[in-house]
């Protein structure tokens, strides 16, 4: 029995373990210890900033709850039809407009900082932090303003602004892949990964 019959071809390119997934057109990127250390420090900073920013909206939620409890107004004694609360309605609209405008713009800004990532290269640690901050800051602002608007106008729909911003924020946690491994080809689902 010939050796080729004993080990049938898998259709993989030379050097690839799986067929049509791993493309080895370019040599792999090897990082020095100094580069790895810089990237590890940037990832630690990103996590520290992420966790510090994640605390801010819940902190403002607690402040808004205590503001509503200790406010001297007898707002609970009078009946207000929600549509009559124009300040609350406008603050809700402004909050949702803020999210719908700033989130796409922040992804566009991150693409600018992470342009190397989209060309199959590695992102520098400084640009990694800037790209993440461009997304996190508008979301945290929306989360805080939603709770402040709820406390000032007592319009419950403003909570939806905060919850929407906070859920998007929680999904944007840093993992450092943009700094450590380049993306694969856009048509390779086994290699390509959305940036974080």
């Amino acid at each position: 029995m010939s050796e080729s019959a004993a080990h049938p071809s898998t259709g993989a390119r030379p050097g690839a373990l799986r067929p049509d997934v791993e493309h080895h057109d370019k040599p792999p990127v090897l990082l020095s210890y100094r580069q790895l250390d810089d990237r590890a420090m940037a990832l630690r900073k990103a996590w520290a900033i992420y966790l510090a920013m994640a605390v801010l909206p819940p902190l403002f939620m607690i402040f808004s709850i205590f503001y509503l409890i200790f406010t001297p107004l007898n707002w609970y004694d009078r009946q207000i039809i929600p549509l009559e609360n124009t300040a609350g309605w406008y603050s809700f609209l402004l909050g949702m407009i803020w999210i719908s405008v700033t989130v796409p713009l922040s992804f566009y800004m991150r693409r600018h900082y992470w342009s190397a990532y989209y060309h199959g290269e590695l992102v520098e640690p400084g640009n990694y932090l800037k790209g993440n901050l461009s997304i996190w800051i508008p979301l945290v602002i929306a989360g805080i303003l939603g709770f402040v608007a709820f406390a000032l106008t007592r319009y419950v729909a403003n909570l939806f602004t905060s919850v929407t911003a906070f859920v998007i924020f929680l999904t944007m946690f840093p993992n450092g892949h943009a700094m450590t491994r380049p993306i694969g080809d856009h048509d390779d689902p086994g290699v390509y990964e959305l940036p974080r």
Side-chain angles (χ1 to χ4, degrees):
M1 178 180 243
S2 68
E3 186 174 332
S4 62
H7 301 288
S9 174
T10 59
R13 293 183 181 194
L17 298 176
R18 295 174 288 184
D20 199 30
V21 172
E22 297 175 354
H23 299 289
H24 294 284
D25 297 336
K26 296 187 287 188
V29 178
L30 299 176
L31 300 173
S32 67
Y33 288 118
R34 176 71 180 156
Q35 290 172 319
L36 286 173
D37 192 42
D38 291 343
R39 282 162 169 73
M41 182 57 72
L43 186 58
R44 287 188 196 107
K45 287 179 185 176
W47 268 108
I49 294 169
Y50 177 80
L51 293 175
M53 293 179 87
V55 170
L56 292 177
L59 190 65
F60 274 85
M61 177 189 68
I62 293 170
F63 289 153
S64 67
I65 290 171
F66 279 106
Y67 176 81
L68 291 172
I69 291 173
F70 295 114
T71 190
L73 298 175
N74 293 328
W75 59 272
Y76 49 83
D77 287 335
R78 53 195 175 107
Q79 296 292 325
I80 297 178
I81 299 172
L83 292 178
E84 291 179 0
N85 191 346
T86 55
W89 176 247
Y90 286 136
S91 62
F92 169 69
L93 285 179
L94 287 175
M96 296 312 290
I97 289 171
W98 171 265
I99 290 174
S100 63
V101 169
T102 58
V103 168
L105 283 177
S106 62
F107 277 100
Y108 178 78
M109 286 180 60
R110 184 180 75 171
R111 183 172 177 83
H112 168 71
Y113 289 119
W114 291 15
S115 61
Y117 184 82
Y118 294 101
H119 293 99
E121 299 171 8
L122 299 177
V123 176
E124 292 301 316
N127 287 338
Y128 180 76
L129 290 172
K130 291 175 189 174
N132 280 326
L133 285 173
S134 68
I135 292 178
W136 294 342
I137 290 173
L139 291 172
V140 170
I141 290 172
I144 290 171
L145 292 180
F147 286 120
V148 170
F150 169 64
L152 296 178
T153 65
R154 295 166 182 87
Y155 193 65
V156 180
N158 286 306
L159 294 177
F160 186 69
T161 303
S162 295
V163 169
T164 303
F166 197 57
V167 167
I168 297 171
F169 176 81
L170 288 178
T171 63
M172 301 309 302
F173 62 90
N175 63 10
H177 287 176
M179 294 186 296
T180 57
R181 64 180 185 186
I183 59 171
D185 288 350
H186 67 281
D187 61 344
D188 290 344
V191 177
Y192 180 77
E193 180 180 331
L194 290 174
R196 281 210 183 141

